[in-house]
Amino acid sequence: AVSPDERLLAFHLGSYPSPDMSSLMVVPTAGGEARAVYSIKAPQQFTFGAFTWSLDMKYIYALFGAEQQAIWQIPLEGGEPLKIGLGRPRMKILRMNPDGRTIAFQAGEPKTEVWVLEHFLPTENARR
C-alpha cells in the first residue's frame, strides 16, 4: 500500500526477522532501506496485501490474526497495535475512504453461482 503522500510503501515480509515470524515493513518509494514497523509470530499471519494508511500517515491499518483476521491500527513510529474490534471470515483487501474515517474491505465465504440472462439482446425490431 502506498502512503497518501506517495513517499512510503507498506508491505509484509514473511519469515522475518526469524522463520516463525512475519513483519509489516515500510520502504521509501524513492529507494532506501526497508524497516520493520511491527512483527507477529506464527500462527498469526498478515493477510496478503491487506494494508491501508491513515490520511495523517501516523498509522497503517492491517489485517492479521491466527484463525480469524481482524483490522489492527499499527503506529508507524512503533508501539503496540490497537485492534479496532472487527473480525469477519475471510477478510481481505482494505481501502481507506478519502474521508479518512471509513475503511472498506472484502469478506465472506466463497460460493459458486451460475447466472442466466434471458432476453437481454435487442430484437431485430428494436435495432431499427
Side-chain angles (χ1 to χ4, degrees), residues 29-95:
T29 55
E33 290 291 317
R35 69 177 175 90
V37 175
Y38 187 71
S39 298
I40 56 176
K41 189 172 182 169
Q44 294 194 81
Q45 59 184 354
F46 286 105
T47 301
F48 181 76
F51 306 104
T52 193
W53 291 79
S54 63
L55 295 184
D56 62 8
M57 295 179 36
K58 292 182 180 179
Y59 304 98
I60 299 172
Y61 294 92
L63 283 173
F64 71 85
E67 292 183 22
Q68 181 160 315
Q69 307 292 300
I71 301 174
W72 292 79
Q73 181 187 57
I74 302 170
L76 183 62
E77 297 305 321
E80 288 301 309
L82 174 66
K83 184 176 180 180
I84 62 173
L86 182 62
R88 304 281 307 158
R90 300 187 189 276
M91 289 179 72
K92 56 186 174 181
I93 306 173
L94 293 179
R95 296 291 180 266

Side-chain angles (χ1 to χ4, degrees), residues 19 25-26 65 69 96:
M25 310 287 289
V26 293
Q69 307 292 300
M96 178 65 71

